[in-house]
Amino acid sequence: MNNVFLYSVVNFQLTLIYRMIQGTSPIKIRLDRIKRYDPPFGMSLRYFKIVFGMLIIYIGIPLVFIQNKITVASYLLYWFLTIWWWRYFSLCSFKKCVYMSSVSTCICLIGLSVSFHQNKLFVYFSMPYLWWSVYTLYISIWYDRSYVNTSFILS
């Protein structure tokens, strides 16, 4: 638990790098387009961004408990997809948001199932990331179903 602050700082820097790779502003997430739509039940854009910021800082706790390379790889891929989701969400590309959040939820589940027998503390502290993935999946599906006239499964 001594390195929680260090892992949080590294994760924040990794988030900035991922945003720069996408060609977007590393700090500011512009949600001007999404504000034109009605939000789903249980969502406020302001609190949504605050919770995400807290998630960036919180990630230092579960990273302390990572013990194998598969979990590291799943974390890196999961976090990249989570950051990438914000880009498509800010562009109102809800169909891509559904796919991104589905894949990130699956990756999170795979990482947690691989680590379950080795380190139960990692799984326990990583549950907020699974909840975040499921919540972004809910939001993506809600926006896709409400504002896009096609079925995302059949297209």
Side-chain angles (χ1 to χ4, degrees), residues 20-152:
M20 285 188 270
I21 289 172
Q22 295 169 7
T24 58
S25 172
I27 301 289
K28 184 156 176 86
I29 298 174
R30 294 184 171 241
L31 298 176
D32 298 334
R33 293 182 187 174
I34 201 75
K35 288 180 183 177
R36 291 183 278 175
Y37 299 110
D38 292 329
F41 175 75
M43 182 196 168
S44 164
L45 289 175
R46 179 178 175 203
Y47 294 119
F48 193 59
K49 287 169 63 173
I50 290 170
V51 169
F52 182 70
M54 291 170 38
L55 198 67
I56 291 173
I57 295 168
Y58 174 80
I59 201 165
I61 296 171
L63 289 180
V64 171
F65 298 108
I66 289 182
Q67 295 179 345
N68 59 25
K69 293 178 183 178
I70 295 171
T71 309
V72 171
S74 66
Y75 152 72
L76 290 173
L77 187 57
Y78 164 79
W79 196 245
F80 182 74
L81 292 175
T82 301
I83 301 301
W84 204 4
W85 180 88
W86 278 100
R87 176 178 168 99
Y88 289 128
F89 185 69
S90 65
L91 295 174
C92 299
S93 181
F94 303 123
K95 192 176 303 285
K96 290 180 182 177
C97 285
V98 170
Y99 293 131
M100 299 293 282
S101 56
S102 299
V103 171
S104 69
T105 302
C106 291
I107 289 170
C108 189
L109 284 171
I110 290 169
L112 293 177
S113 62
V114 165
S115 301
F116 183 73
H117 295 292
Q118 296 174 351
N119 194 343
K120 290 185 177 37
L121 279 176
F122 172 75
V123 174
Y124 173 73
F125 285 117
S126 296
M127 290 309 290
Y129 299 106
L130 181 61
W131 299 335
W132 177 263
S133 297
V134 172
Y135 187 63
T136 57
L137 182 61
Y138 158 70
I139 290 169
S140 302
I141 290 172
W142 190 90
Y143 275 112
D144 186 62
R145 293 287 173 119
S146 297
Y147 297 106
V148 179
N149 294 328
T150 60
S151 172
F152 66 88

